[in-house]
Amino acid sequence: MSYAKYAAGFPDDVDVDNLIADGSRFLEVPGFWAAHYLSQTMDDEAFVDKVWGLDRVAVRAVQDRLSDPGTWPAFEVDLGVGGKLVVVYRNFDDDAGVDYLLVPSNESDCLRVATTEGEYEGPGISWPELMAVAGGFTDPARRAEVLLLIAPMLGDVEADSPAAISLLTEALRLTGAVDSVEEMARLIVSENLQWEPASWYVTESGAICCDGEASPRNPESACALEESELIAVSNLLGGADR
């Protein structure tokens, strides 16, 4: 896969295509899910470690591997309408973070819809969109992985509901969570270190947008995507009943 538009945002001597590597091997590594959430949305190490029943040393070891500047682990999620959603651990010196990219099937216009840590941008997805993406997978284990992979870019005032918490509780248990699971699910849908939950709406042009101050999906934000890009993102994520 080519990340041409994404790569253009880095210095010429940064070979993004070669740095990005398949990160799927991490999904079965004990400590990955704790590391995934600690690196992005939560800072209570003791609590997150307890959720998956792991010690700090084990989780720290996974965090170190995920943040190795020699490789940028990437996790691809196929979208039912074509294209992919890709979670990239951007281990760029002095500007590390996790980017959430939408890559259309032609790979020509890779769009970043959210980034966590540092110069964060988000939220990048609404609750209906998250459900639409994860719901495209019939295997419960894969559906749980997809849900938890992309939930860190969630920010939606409608997500803090018993139904959402129940779905995330089940996903957490399927990925090995053993303690305070429902509390962790509640925090995922309602709390984020980077941004407040946003309100989502559909524009006259059919784009699904939000009012998050630092979201690329807010037409009024400083990092807003162009209108055609907002429509393309909305079509790919397919989260609204339009």
Side-chain angles (χ1 to χ4, degrees), residues 200-213:
W200 293 80
Y201 60 94
V202 181
T203 68
E204 292 183 359
S205 64
I208 305 169
C209 298
C210 75
D211 62 0
E213 293 183 1

Side-chain angles (χ1 to χ4, degrees), residues 134-146 174:
F137 296 87
T138 57
D139 176 65
R142 179 55 179 164
R143 186 165 59 244
E145 288 176 350
V146 169
L174 284 171

